[in-house]
Amino acid sequence: MGIFYYCLIGILTGLANGLFGSGGGIVAVPMLKKSGLDIKEAHATSLALTLPLSIVSCIFYQDVVRDIFSDTLVLILFGLGGAWVGGILMKKLKPEYLKKAFGLLLVISGVRLFFK
């Protein structure tokens, strides 16, 4: 895929991150997979991409986060632990299981949002 496609991935991922407060990975992973990356490379690239985008998005949400800062610290600490376990599991899972788990997460998220 050409540079235009990667620019499109960046724009759409950044837009999703800014609008939904993270979530750019939902856009990035399928698009990166379509570009030829295997599922684990797509997930790893998405993580590397969404980290700086999440930091920028957080700047726009800082007024909201400031009011709940103590709760946010607890979420970050336990989220780091979850990310560590998730990273270990990603290395051990077969790509087809990771793909199915990601798809299931998207379906469940979509259904929940649709009916709320």
Side-chain angles (χ1 to χ4, degrees), residues 6-101:
Y6 291 112
C7 291
L8 182 63
I9 292 172
I11 290 168
L12 292 176
T13 303
L15 186 61
N17 244 49
L19 284 173
F20 307 123
S22 196
I26 292 173
V27 173
V29 170
M31 292 183 78
L32 288 165
K33 183 123 176 37
K34 185 177 179 182
S35 77
L37 296 179
D38 71 36
I39 191 73
K40 290 185 178 186
E41 290 172 329
H43 280 271
T45 303
S46 171
L47 288 169
L49 171 64
T50 57
L51 175 62
L53 298 178
S54 294
I55 291 169
V56 170
S57 296
C58 188
I59 292 167
F60 291 96
Y61 287 102
Q62 72 182 351
D63 291 339
V64 176
V65 173
R66 194 176 303 135
D67 295 337
I68 55 168
F69 190 70
S70 62
D71 294 336
T72 305
L73 285 177
V74 171
L75 291 170
I76 290 169
L77 289 173
F78 282 86
L80 289 171
W84 181 69
V85 172
I88 290 170
L89 289 174
M90 187 180 79
K91 286 182 169 184
K92 294 181 180 207
L93 284 175
K94 292 182 179 178
E96 58 268 16
Y97 295 140
L98 185 60
K99 183 178 175 182
K100 288 179 184 188

Side-chain angles (χ1 to χ4, degrees), residues 20 26 105-116:
F20 307 123
I26 292 173
L105 177 67
L106 291 178
V107 169
I108 291 169
S109 297
V111 169
R112 280 191 72 231
L113 286 171
F114 186 77
F115 287 107
K116 282 204 170 208

